[in-house]
Amino acid sequence: MDDLARALIAWFGDLPMSDFMIASRRAWPIAESFHFVGLCLLVGIVGLFDLRLMGFVKSISPAALHRLIPFAILGFLINVASGITFLSATPDQYLGGNAAFELKMAFMAAAGLNVGIFYTTQFRTVRTLGPGDDAPLAARIIGGASLVLWISIMTCGRLITFYRP
Amino acid sequence: MTGFFIWLEETSISVWVRESPSMLAFPGILVLHTVGMAFLVGTSMAISLRTLGVAAGLPPRTLLKFTPVMWLGFAVNAFSGTALLVAYPTKALTNPVFYVKLFLIAIALAGLRYLIRNIPGDPGLQAVARPSRTRAVAGLSIVCWIGAITAGRFLAYTYTRLLSTGYF
């Protein structure tokens, strides 16, 4: 284990909710429930937007569908918060050499980069598209990548428990 | 009932899902159940949120064109959920939380069906018939999905019997 992993384990383990997460019998499943509800909002809504970019359900304009995105962001924030509570309780399970968790973080970084590229290079064009219009090829590829990445993130996330160090 | 549990737990499909070291067995089925949930519940919540007045300017009827995604998620979860039940019938069927989960899913789906039927067919129309009742149904459907997810998570922590075979 390298120094960074050791430092991160110590940092997450010292978070104020750490003791509560360990001591409470219900805190862990409740945090998991939040994580699953957040995942539905995030991946459900982003997934629909990705499908529209890819060329499905073109009768909806991307701009109209984009109005749901604040709820996807809400889902993401719920999952960052609940995810941190998991790390605070058992940081070594995640950071002590868990291939599923490491791959999940790599996919999340890729998804973050993908969405950054989308908003900096494609959104200006995509928001002007009306019903029936095709998104530019780059935006279609970004939408497809987003869908694949989020499904991969969920897959790795669900497998974390089977790759505990 | 215990006789039925023992019979089911000894079938080859039950043993494979439960005991195979393959990541495609129990872990892979859990992954399917998670991904299916995301698309079923996510799309359903988007329809409910729109009914509640969120995302004005998004024609509700066009949003319904995404329902195949939702029903695909439902099909994946009916299949994966059945496989998980076949793997651990005693664990689920002796836990009251499992029936709470199924009941909440039934209410959430009934609410969703009501919304789909009551969203106007004319894409130009923004309003729904009987708006206050439709909004109440949309809110109820969201609450039931959250409840069903919570009950599902608690299934892993509240069971009293794991298997009828091999553990006596």
Side-chain angles (χ1 to χ4, degrees), chain A residues 32-159:
Chain A
E32 283 186 328
S33 301
F34 272 104
H35 209 67
F36 277 46
V37 171
L39 161 176
C40 291
L41 279 173
L42 171 59
V43 180
I45 292 169
V46 168
L48 299 186
F49 191 71
D50 290 339
L51 287 169
R52 172 58 182 92
L53 289 180
M54 291 165 74
F56 296 97
V57 194
K58 286 198 287 185
S59 54
I60 301 189
S61 77
L65 201 53
H66 196 269
R67 290 171 194 244
L68 286 169
I69 291 292
F71 285 85
I73 295 169
L74 173 68
F76 179 74
L77 295 176
I78 289 170
N79 278 23
V80 170
S82 49
I84 289 172
T85 67
F86 300 141
L87 278 158
S88 78
T90 56
D92 45 325
Q93 271 188 31
Y94 302 94
L95 299 161
N98 186 317
F101 179 77
E102 287 160 13
L103 204 51
K104 175 177 178 176
M105 290 302 112
F107 284 135
M108 285 195 50
L113 187 66
N114 191 53
V115 80
I117 293 170
F118 175 74
Y119 281 106
T120 51
T121 71
Q122 300 300 315
F123 190 56
R124 194 175 292 184
T125 313
V126 165
R127 71 184 310 174
T128 65
L129 298 176
D133 290 343
D134 278 315
L137 180 63
R140 293 174 147 232
I141 292 169
I142 287 171
S146 171
L147 201 56
V148 170
L149 284 168
W150 284 113
I151 291 172
S152 304
I153 289 164
M154 288 189 289
T155 301
C156 292
R158 197 62 192 81
L159 293 179

Side-chain angles (χ1 to χ4, degrees), chain A residues 25-26 28-30 32-33 36-37 39-41 43-45 47-49 51-52 56-57 59-61 64-65 67-68 71 147 151 154-156 158-159 161-163, chain B residues 23 26-28 30-31 34-35 37-39 41-43 45-47 49-50 54-59 62-66 69 145-146 149-151 153-154 156-157:
Chain A
R25 274 181 60 232
R26 293 202 183 88
W28 188 277
I30 287 171
E32 283 186 328
S33 301
F36 277 46
V37 171
L39 161 176
C40 291
L41 279 173
V43 180
I45 292 169
L48 299 186
F49 191 71
L51 287 169
R52 172 58 182 92
F56 296 97
V57 194
S59 54
I60 301 189
S61 77
L65 201 53
R67 290 171 194 244
L68 286 169
F71 285 85
L147 201 56
I151 291 172
M154 288 189 289
T155 301
C156 292
R158 197 62 192 81
L159 293 179
T161 188
F162 301 99
Y163 287 90
Chain B
M23 278 287 152
F26 193 70
L30 286 179
V31 167
T34 307
V35 176
M37 172 192 75
F39 288 101
V41 178
T43 313
M45 280 187 172
I47 292 169
L49 287 169
R50 180 61 195 90
V54 164
L58 172 58
T62 53
L63 195 54
L64 296 188
K65 292 193 176 155
F66 282 112
V69 176
W145 280 130
I146 294 172
I149 288 170
T150 306
R153 267 304 65 216
F154 272 81
Y157 303 91

